Amino acid sequence: MVFNTDEIQSFAKEFYNIDVLVTPLTGYDEDNFLLTSHSGKKYILKVSSGIRPSFLEAQVSISQHLSKSEISSFFQHHIANKHDQYITIYTDKNSQHTYCIRLLTYLEGTLWKDLNVWPDELYIDLGSFLGKLDAISKDIYLDAANRAYVWDISRAEEAIKNLHHIKDPAKRRLADYFLLQFETEVKPKIASLRHACIHNDANDSNILVKEGKVTGLIDFGDMVWAPLIHNLAIACTYVIMYSDEPVEASAIIVNSYHKEYSLMQEETDILYYLIAARLCISVTQSAAKADNGLFNVHHYQSEQSAWKLLEYWLTINPLKAAHTYRLACDPEPAIQPIDKQSQLKLTRRDIIGRNLSLSYHKPLTIIKGALQYLYDDLGNTYLDCVNNVSHVGHCHPVVVRAMQKQLATLNTNTRYLHEALTSYATELLATLPSNLKVCYFVNSGSEANDLAVRMSRHYTGRNDIIVLEHAYHGTSSLDIDMSPYKFDNTGGSGQKPFIHKAPVPDDYRGIYQGKDAGKQYAQEVLRILENLQEAGKAPAAFICETLLGVGGQMPLPDDYLQYVYRYVRQYGGVCIADEVQVGFGRTGHTFWGFQLQEAEPDIVVLGKPIGNGHPLAAVVVTEAIADAFNNGLEYFNTYGGNPVSMVTGLTVLNVIRDEALQENAVTTGAILLEGFKKLQDSYECIGDVRGKGLFIGVEFVKDRITKEPDAILADYIVESMKNQGILLSTDGPYHNVLKIKPPMVITEDNCMKIVETIESILK
Ligand code: PMP
């Protein structure tokens, strides 16, 4: 505070001719004082420096305008000084600094934030008061309010530049996600919304309540010319922090506002995003101020609650919010999905390949992804525990923005030099063992496996491939030939003579168990190699996943790959690690699955998470294999290695590192594994719980001793979990293994919820 209470007392006397006692109050960017006269009359005196006088004059104008309205008593009014001026300019003789002083009437009441209870009636009251206020504001234009102001939701995207002040990566991602949604869902509509001079800060420290009624709104210091709906959005943002049901509470306000002053559908439809955007402005402002060492309680008073509400907001399907707000105004619902879904199904059946499957007995129509959540067309939110492809989260803002920028810049092919190709390859190679030196970029895991095997054949001059039973490696003709999961099953054309199947190294229900299982299973591969040799042949390659996916979410037994790779190399074969499902930190303790086994492949195949859903995959090989492949035949891949894919891959790598997602896989994965193991103690039907990091399988059996698979129970659990808002699926040769491979941004709370929900179903 620039002036002490004695100075303020003398200002009051000198400028306003009143004798008062002075109590300093806090304020966001002005110094505020409570003045009390001898007769007990109270005033507020405001001292500002650095605020444009024209803007202060605009505040005087709005209060004069409102003083003529039926809601006059809700506002403070300006009191003129001895010279009949509402703004007193005071120049400090020593510093020559100029201050603007204003005297305002005092409003009795308790601030919203200081109440003990917030009954629905208060929300109703607030809505109708704001409706009345906006009905008046719509006719007011004040030039000084038409300004660039950080707290104007229209400018929410400017908060992006402050994101770096948020140190917790999970919080930064959350704010960034909602700012991206603002850009996507709101910004294009801003210009066409009704504008007015709005109060712009009906927050919990500015709303006054007396005897259970809203009685006042103070501080026009944030007034701005902006979409009218922002006023309501801002009030909702702050007051719903006090409700256990924020969407319902805001709908109460919307309803009573609409009764006073009609809202338009295009306004209520974006309210969800406006509330999120205002929260983002608030948390980024707090973070920036803290980073700059500023300490004013007002800068941080909403911070904790704002984060809590943002986290909760992510769990709300925006369609559900829009629907609730529409219903609060008009009975016409926003969600009319039934016909649309059956129509989609019919058209899909007619014109899309019939052997594409749909998940769940009643399929989902997913319309939007939000980090670890998915939203359907019915307004439901699902915690996604199955789409491992969205590795760093659905619509991760950093990835999306990088892709958008590169798409708007250039997308060509590898026939031109481009920095992104080599920088991405360099970064990728840095995560891999030093024997892996050369990258090939392709478009899918299938294409990558196909290429990997092709290269191993070039290198060895041989044809035969050793695979694991039940394995899946992709959808090209060669991949299907290498995938017993396909060729051994319905519609498959059986095992080709150049394919050799080794048993799944399953130490739960397989032929070997215990501490030597890894070596014993590896000796099964050795036997195949010996048999091949007897037949005068040798393998081109051995290929397996480094944790088995369709094989049943199974970590390999200790030392398995070390032995297998040693044997395969003894017979001149190439060792291919299919990391399509496993890689990029999912296993938590290591970045790559083969590192869990302390083994080094000759070729690694990468896919799925590599581009967070963008079609990108890679084959990384040794120098010698790359040389053998470079035999004069050009390798060209139209899309492989294009700038957009490369920027995407590079950004995904950066996000994994910057947000410590591998570490998150360790902590969240441990909660899941421990939780499931505890359930296993109580529920006989859980035969096995296994996994590493966020690659987890829970195997259901009818009998612990016989281990008879219980696919019906596994399926029942998947369906019931879906009904409770959690998406999972089953895997394994007997379809009895729950597959849990969530986006790596899943939280500890999410994991506890998963375990609790499964337990409630088992009960
Ligand atoms: N390898 C493994 C282990 C896989 O799980 C998959 C896909 N499920 C593939 C390869 C093929 O990848 P894509 O579907 O991208 O072609």
Side-chain angles (χ1 to χ4, degrees), residues 444-447 449 472-475 545 578 580-581 608:
S444 68
S446 303
E447 199 188 348
N449 273 328
Y472 176 69
H473 293 292
T475 195
E545 288 187 89
D578 183 339
V580 168
Q581 296 249 12
K608 292 189 193 273

Side-chain angles (χ1 to χ4, degrees), residues 156-454:
E157 64 191 307
E158 286 174 17
I160 294 168
K161 68 174 187 299
N162 284 323
L163 282 169
H164 70 278
H165 293 294
I166 302 171
K167 302 299 177 221
D168 175 345
K171 287 184 166 152
R172 189 169 61 236
R173 175 174 65 231
L174 181 64
D176 199 3
Y177 169 79
F178 277 117
L179 290 172
L180 178 67
Q181 295 313 311
F182 174 83
E183 281 174 69
T184 312
E185 305 282 353
V186 179
K187 212 182 142 209
K189 298 177 185 146
I190 291 272
S192 63
L193 296 170
R194 305 184 272 189
H195 278 56
C197 280
I198 60 166
H199 176 277
N200 199 45
D201 199 18
N203 71 45
D204 52 330
S205 293
N206 284 341
I207 300 167
L208 287 163
V209 177
K210 216 170 129 188
E211 290 158 14
K213 292 257 170 212
V214 171
T215 53
L217 177 64
I218 58 171
D219 192 0
F220 275 79
D222 281 49
M223 184 172 58
V224 69
W225 171 257
L228 200 68
I229 184 68
H230 290 187
N231 218 25
L232 178 60
I234 290 164
C236 288
T237 303
Y238 293 91
V239 300
I240 63 176
M241 290 175 186
Y242 297 83
S243 169
D244 294 332
E245 295 184 314
V247 179
E248 291 72 11
S250 44
I252 295 175
I253 304 175
V254 168
N255 173 268
S256 57
Y257 180 107
H258 184 71
K259 284 182 184 150
E260 287 297 335
Y261 184 58
S262 286
L263 287 161
M264 298 170 110
Q265 211 166 78
E266 58 262 37
E267 292 170 330
T268 50
D269 280 359
I270 57 167
L271 197 53
Y272 167 89
Y273 293 109
L274 294 175
I275 290 172
R278 176 66 180 212
L279 289 168
C280 291
I281 297 176
S282 173
V283 293
T284 48
Q285 282 294 314
S286 300
K289 297 224 151 80
D291 228 10
N292 293 327
L294 296 175
F295 291 101
N296 172 342
V297 283
H298 279 258
H299 295 161
Y300 310 106
Q301 65 188 14
S302 311
E303 199 179 8
Q304 299 268 2
S305 327
W307 280 120
K308 208 168 133 223
L309 184 55
L310 266 180
E311 275 155 23
Y312 178 79
W313 221 229
L314 193 73
T315 70
I316 302 298
N317 183 329
L319 191 61
K320 180 183 172 189
H323 180 64
T324 310
Y325 297 141
R326 273 198 198 183
L327 281 183
C329 299
D330 293 302
E332 189 199 327
I335 304 171
Q336 296 161 321
I338 310 298
D339 285 337
K340 211 170 155 198
Q341 191 180 72
S342 39
Q343 190 52 50
L344 273 179
K345 254 162 92 178
L346 286 175
T347 316
R348 173 173 158 133
R349 208 182 51 201
D350 283 349
I351 60 170
I352 304 292
R354 317 264 150 81
N355 44 359
L356 295 181
S357 70
L358 276 168
S359 296
Y360 303 110
H361 297 319
K362 190 176 177 317
L364 294 173
T365 307
I366 298 293
I367 53 165
K368 202 170 178 80
L371 304 176
Q372 70 271 41
Y373 298 104
L374 289 170
Y375 305 133
D376 76 1
D377 64 336
L378 296 166
N380 298 309
T381 299
Y382 297 96
L383 174 63
D384 182 2
C385 298
V386 76
N387 288 289
N388 55 320
V389 174
S390 298
H391 195 60
V392 300
H394 296 278
C395 304
H396 190 291
V398 175
V399 178
V400 171
R401 285 212 179 84
M403 292 173 76
Q404 285 175 333
K405 186 162 180 238
Q406 188 54 45
L407 265 169
T409 308
L410 175 76
N411 204 15
T412 49
N413 58 59
T414 48
R415 288 206 169 109
Y416 306 99
L417 289 172
H418 196 280
E419 206 183 334
L421 175 67
T422 42
S423 12
Y424 179 44
T426 309
E427 294 276 320
L428 195 57
L429 288 172
T431 68
L432 287 161
S434 57
N435 66 319
L436 296 169
K437 285 198 159 59
V438 186
C439 302
Y440 297 82
F441 294 111
V442 296
N443 312 291
S444 68
S446 303
E447 199 188 348
N449 273 328
D450 192 296
L451 178 64
V453 171
R454 197 178 137 200

Side-chain angles (χ1 to χ4, degrees), residues 429 432-438 594 600-604 620-623:
L429 288 172
L432 287 161
S434 57
N435 66 319
L436 296 169
K437 285 198 159 59
V438 186
F594 59 79
E600 288 195 359
D602 307 303
I603 299 182
V604 287
V620 188
V621 305
T622 62
E623 198 89 60

Side-chain angles (χ1 to χ4, degrees), residues 509-579:
R509 60 168 69 245
I511 41 174
Y512 304 117
Q513 286 157 30
K515 72 175 180 26
D516 292 328
K519 187 171 182 190
Q520 288 164 317
Y521 278 114
Q523 280 164 350
E524 292 290 325
V525 177
L526 182 60
R527 263 186 279 287
I528 294 172
L529 292 161
E530 288 164 352
N531 291 343
L532 272 173
Q533 194 177 43
E534 269 173 35
K537 292 202 233 169
F542 166 87
I543 180 168
C544 79
E545 288 187 89
T546 53
L547 277 88
L548 309 180
V550 292
Q553 296 293 112
M554 206 177 291
L556 297 171
D558 287 350
D559 305 328
Y560 176 73
L561 277 188
Q562 280 201 32
Y563 281 110
V564 171
Y565 285 3
R566 190 186 306 159
Y567 299 149
V568 170
R569 284 179 183 134
Q570 274 168 16
Y571 286 80
V574 166
C575 302
I576 305 175
D578 183 339
E579 288 271 349

Side-chain angles (χ1 to χ4, degrees), residues 34 43 97-98 116 128 131 171 198 246 390 416 434 439 453 611 630 713:
L34 171 66
Y43 309 86
H97 203 94
T98 297
N116 297 319
S128 47
K171 287 184 166 152
I198 60 166
S390 298
Y416 306 99
S434 57
C439 302
V453 171
N630 184 22
L713 178 57

